[in-house]
Amino acid sequence: MFSVGLTGGIASGKTTISNLFAKLGVPVIDTDVISRKLLQPGELAYRQVRAHFGDAILDTNGEIDRRKLREIVFSNGVEKAWIEKMLHPLIYQRSHDAIIANSRADYVLVVIPLLFETNFQSLVDRILVVDCPAEQQIERLIKRDRIDEKLARKMLAQQLDNSARIARAHDIIENRSETADLESQVAVLHQRYQQLASA
Ligand code: ATP
């Protein structure tokens, strides 16, 4: 089963691009969606987070308050490491299962925002990186999430920089401006991946 990992910095355009692949009929597996599902009541990760942080981590519906969890990850390195050690192998396994479940497709696209940071390279056969200048990411982040520039810069500073991602990419999509022709870039890559998958 041929799989392509799509990664890129925060607000670089991963979701926008994965939607274009989906429009071409490519199954899309999103590790962010898997991570959110894993934290739902009834899941092992939910029980572990609740046991670790206590009921203070829950919202009024008894669900894990993702904002609180994000704040902890953001401000406490030890807790961040605990959450990642618990959650990442579960995300990896679920993603792997989802790839297998789509084995009738030519190939699948797996969106992995922290592909390099989490060492998920072994999950995919090929790596596609969205290239977007930091200033553009900040602009999009402020606009989409209605946050201030200081926070946007802080979020970006916690990630790998784009050049480190580009250096390890097999393929690159340029999403530098509003006029980036994403559809034709995706169409070219789609053809390449179909050929690689059938080779
Ligand atoms: P995250 O890392 O936060 O999940 P992402 O990499 O999936 O983000 P998107 O949500 O696809 O990024 O894009 C970020 C924002 O920028 C969105 O509001 C999206 O509509 C906008 N955007 C992305 N690419 C373009 C483009 N080429 N032209 C205009 N707006 C764009």
Side-chain angles (χ1 to χ4, degrees), residues 72-182:
I72 293 170
V73 168
F74 210 51
S75 60
N76 186 325
V78 175
E79 298 295 17
K80 178 173 187 261
W82 180 85
I83 291 170
E84 289 178 347
K85 194 167 173 224
M86 183 272 298
L87 207 50
H88 288 170
L90 298 174
I91 297 173
Y92 190 100
Q93 188 57 48
R94 281 285 164 96
S95 306
H96 184 259
D97 293 348
I99 292 172
I100 303 293
N102 280 287
S103 56
R104 278 199 298 191
D106 289 345
Y107 71 94
V108 295
L109 187 79
V110 193
V111 186
I112 317 172
L114 301 178
L115 190 149
F116 299 115
E117 292 89 335
T118 53
N119 273 320
F120 270 31
Q121 289 97 321
S122 59
L123 191 63
V124 292
D125 299 298
R126 204 163 170 96
I127 296 171
L128 169 60
V129 169
V130 190
D131 188 18
C132 177
E135 289 309 312
Q136 182 76 263
Q137 281 173 268
I138 286 166
E139 205 178 287
R140 287 178 182 158
L141 202 51
I142 291 168
K143 206 163 140 190
R144 186 194 61 185
D145 295 354
R146 297 198 180 90
I147 57 173
D148 63 32
E149 184 179 338
K150 196 171 160 218
L151 180 59
R153 290 196 183 278
K154 205 170 161 190
M155 288 165 93
L156 222 72
Q158 289 209 335
Q159 299 199 322
L160 267 185
D161 63 72
N162 277 331
S163 56
R165 285 192 200 90
I166 298 292
R168 295 193 242 173
H170 295 106
D171 307 298
I172 296 163
I173 287 194
E174 300 283 355
N175 190 20
R176 298 180 157 267
S177 69
E178 306 284 307
T179 55
D181 188 355
L182 296 179

